[in-house]
Amino acid sequence: MSGVFKVTEQQLKKVDSILENSERGDLIPALQKIQEEIGFLPKEIQVRVAEKLNIPLSEVYSIITFYALFSLKPKGKHHINVCKGTACYVKGAERILQKLKDVLGVGPGDTTDDGLFSIDVIRCLGACGLGPVITINDKTYARLKPDDIPRIIAKYKDMGTKDFEAVTQPREATV
Amino acid sequence: MGMITLTINNQKVEVEEGLTILEAAQKAGIYIPTLCYLKEISAMAACRMCVVEVEGAKTLQAACVTPAVDGMVIRTNTPFVRKARKTILELILSDHPFECLTCERGGNCELQRLAEEFNIREVPFEGERTKMDPDVSTPSLVREPEKCILCRRCINVCSEIQGVGVLFPNERGFKTFIGPPFGEQLGNMPCALCGQCTLVCPTGAIHEKEQIEDVWEVLDDPTKHVIVQTAPATRVSLGEALGLEPGSIVTGQMVAALRALGFDKVFDTDFAADLTIMEEGSELIKRLEKGGPLPLITSCSPGWVKFCEHYYPEFLENISTCKSPQQMFGALAKTYYAGKSRIDPKDIVVVSIMPCTAKKFEAQRCEMVDSGYLDVDIVLTVRETAKMIKQAGINIRNLEPEEYDAPLGISTGAGAIFGATGGVMEAALRTVYEMLTGKELEKIDFEAVRGLESVKEAEIELPDLTVKVAVAHGLGNAKKLLERIKNKEAEYHFVEIMACPGGCIGGGGQPIPTDTEKRQKRIAAIYNVDKNMPLRKSHENPALKQLYKDYLIKPLGEMSHKLLHTDYAARRKY
């Protein structure tokens, strides 16, 4: 990720207060709360967690990379969830995901270098009748074909420079 | 504790409550194959090799974690069990490189042994393969993640026994690999390089960085004067590495074998261990007189020193400024010995035979050049040394014992016991007592600091002072001891810490497998070596007396400071 991302003083204070009230055994809930604050879990934050909870950094990283809900990179300005629940899967979610990877050059759990897009795979949005389904930010795209993807992405790229509410928490960032 | 009765393969087995099926079977002499399980270290049920049929259970049960219960009916050798185990093995092998012929652990690999046992002739599964480059970033250890079977033994020993926790699983599912975080190399991590992971790895996924070829090269170079030193613990483990009984003492045969390999002189690290006692004993007396910094902590174990630099920099002023015996030897070899034997130190190559992987790192530390050259050039583990001896066609059983060369091969029993936990402490006490009181020590054996108890304590009465000492072995135990000292829950004058469980006899460069039973045998052997030495106190070593007379003048003198002492610096923890 080439963009500059800086955790703000205010966020750090919140992280510290979360860790203040946590113990060794609270690693996962503490990480969840921190990710809610910052949107992802950069290395400097992991070091802080390791230090405060007296857990090896390797173990903190191990937990973070094991659970899909934790993210090592900030989410993109436009966050894409690709449903791979049973119905969407059967209706070709894999091809939709492949097309997204081709167009954006990144896969699930990753963010494009310009910080505009990130992709995650999720299980069932409860819109099985409309599969295959993806969501971008809070908008749902249904009954997709791979060929629809470039057009949709292009639309968000145009929006990219305009004021658009990011899915993640507000952050002090130039991307 | 109550007894329970279970049936294994139609055999009634009575065992105490609280065992697993595997332990119960072992007690009854019934073999169940295991791969990830390692007694005292790991019972993860990760590999599933130990599955057995338990009557009433819907699926096969992993014997290493399933509790044995009264009345249980177990079958360990049915067609279903055999087929399941074989399939499990085939699946593991489907993502394992077939490089057994060129693997560091070829011939001593648990996976290879099981493949043979199960008569695997082909692997029916073809699929994705793990692709990861070897990590050669440290002077001590090499990681080969493609050979890793994810058994997690190294993780348990690194975290639970050593309290370090550098190795953990990363990612999940097929992408899982064991290693440092953030895709880092081991060389960038706060790893002590103790090599305990190499002792427990069932395959060749983590092992020492071999330097056998480097040694052959200098031995074949007629312009080089190649000398070798043997660490205290090697004389009770090299034989084991060559197929003798654990605890075999092969001091004289080792000397003969090394001479036969072509070393110009065969010297003994025990000599330098005696020297360490002179210097460190004097340092202790000086610190006791000056009032600190106390406790004085030993510095012989390079894994411990590196651990302290990463995790406990506040204790660095407590660590003795004495170099380890290996490094003292190197510094003297290229100065004192070079001068005495009129050999240009640039032509001298110092090779060490060590029970240790961290010694390879220590020899490369940038401070270790006080002789004007790299004090120690090449470090071999006991395992590598055994390979060289085999390669040369030398059978240690047929060798007549030979004597070390003088003067750097002359030593006392005090030097020998450096190889076991508590040994440095005991050797130091033998000398410090006599130095301070001027009286002969009545009882030379300090039993209180011997043995495998995690932290040992003792008090020694001196004329004006009761000296309180503590001994910890294994970095996990060291950590507990340091925390107590830090929190002022305990106070000592002198502390011995060795990075590996059992001390150097359990070092990361020792024969595989190394377990508690083997550690005990090697410890017993090393105290026998001590008992049978004509001299058992470092300060009585005649070669040392000569060294001080001719060259060093006095302990902690100017020459000692230049050649035998060093300093330490905090290293990154993250």
Side-chain angles (χ1 to χ4, degrees), chain A residues 16-151:
Chain A
D16 283 344
S17 86
I18 291 165
L19 293 173
E20 233 24 73
N21 299 309
S22 308
E23 293 172 13
R24 224 194 121 86
D26 303 332
L27 177 61
I28 291 172
L31 289 173
Q32 279 177 297
K33 285 180 202 155
I34 292 168
Q35 183 160 290
E36 271 168 38
E37 282 303 325
I38 305 179
F40 73 117
L41 297 163
K43 185 175 176 183
E44 55 172 309
I45 294 296
Q46 294 184 41
V47 168
R48 226 174 171 88
V49 172
E51 187 76 51
K52 291 270 163 69
L53 300 189
N54 196 19
I55 295 174
L57 180 59
S58 301
E59 188 171 358
V60 175
Y61 181 83
S62 173
I63 296 288
I64 290 171
T65 56
F66 183 84
Y67 291 106
L69 81 103
F70 295 125
S71 177
L72 291 167
K73 277 188 161 189
K75 297 285 179 219
K77 194 163 190 178
H78 307 301
H79 183 60
I80 305 167
N81 280 320
V82 180
C83 181
K84 269 174 91 175
T86 310
C88 288
Y89 187 84
V90 169
K91 292 204 158 191
E94 191 57 48
R95 277 179 292 144
I96 302 297
L97 179 62
Q98 188 54 51
K99 191 73 186 177
L100 278 167
K101 284 195 223 167
D102 293 345
V103 171
L104 296 174
V106 294
D110 213 345
T111 306
T112 54
D113 279 347
D114 58 11
L116 273 184
F117 295 96
S118 54
I119 309 178
D120 269 327
V121 166
I122 53 158
R123 307 283 165 196
C124 198
L125 285 161
C128 303
L130 303 173
V133 171
I134 68 169
T135 63
I136 302 184
N137 304 330
D138 51 5
K139 193 164 166 38
T140 305
Y141 294 84
R143 295 202 176 101
L144 286 170
K145 292 183 191 68
D147 287 348
D148 299 334
I149 297 298
R151 184 180 44 81

Side-chain angles (χ1 to χ4, degrees), chain B residues 268-279 325 327-340 406-410 538-560 563-564:
Chain B
D268 201 355
T269 314
D270 288 18
F271 165 84
D274 281 335
L275 178 59
T276 302
I277 290 303
M278 294 304 291
E279 294 290 326
Q327 295 305 133
M328 284 197 183
F329 178 94
L332 282 178
K334 295 193 181 180
T335 52
Y336 173 66
Y337 168 74
K340 238 176 130 74
L408 306 187
I410 296 168
S538 298
H539 55 284
E540 292 175 353
N541 182 334
L544 271 196
K545 289 181 185 166
Q546 194 69 38
L547 169 69
Y548 276 110
K549 190 165 159 271
D550 294 350
Y551 193 69
L552 294 174
I553 313 302
K554 60 171 187 183
L556 307 184
E558 202 184 318
M559 278 306 272
S560 292
L563 292 175
L564 309 181

Side-chain angles (χ1 to χ4, degrees), chain B residues 120-162:
Chain B
I120 306 280
R121 289 291 168 264
E122 58 175 346
V123 176
F125 305 107
E126 220 174 288
E128 205 178 329
R129 289 273 184 156
T130 300
K131 289 243 174 305
M132 286 184 87
D133 291 330
D135 173 357
V136 294
S137 59
T138 82
S140 297
L141 303 175
V142 174
R143 285 173 55 239
E144 297 194 54
E146 289 182 3
K147 293 180 180 170
C148 175
I149 57 163
L150 308 175
C151 73
R152 290 160 170 80
R153 286 179 183 177
C154 59
I155 297 173
N156 287 341
V157 80
C158 186
S159 297
E160 306 301 324
I161 309 287
Q162 296 299 68

Side-chain angles (χ1 to χ4, degrees), chain B residues 346-366:
Chain B
K346 82 168 171 31
D347 295 327
I348 296 180
V349 180
V350 176
V351 177
S352 309
I353 310 297
M354 291 285 144
C356 185
T357 50
K359 286 282 172 196
K360 288 175 184 271
F361 164 81
E362 182 185 55
Q364 304 286 321
R365 285 179 72 116
C366 59

Side-chain angles (χ1 to χ4, degrees), chain B residues 476-493:
Chain B
N477 292 331
K479 210 167 159 177
K480 280 177 213 150
L481 179 62
L482 292 175
E483 287 297 330
R484 283 179 54 213
I485 296 173
K486 208 160 116 176
N487 299 329
K488 307 237 179 295
E489 291 157 25
E491 227 182 2
Y492 306 100
H493 298 100

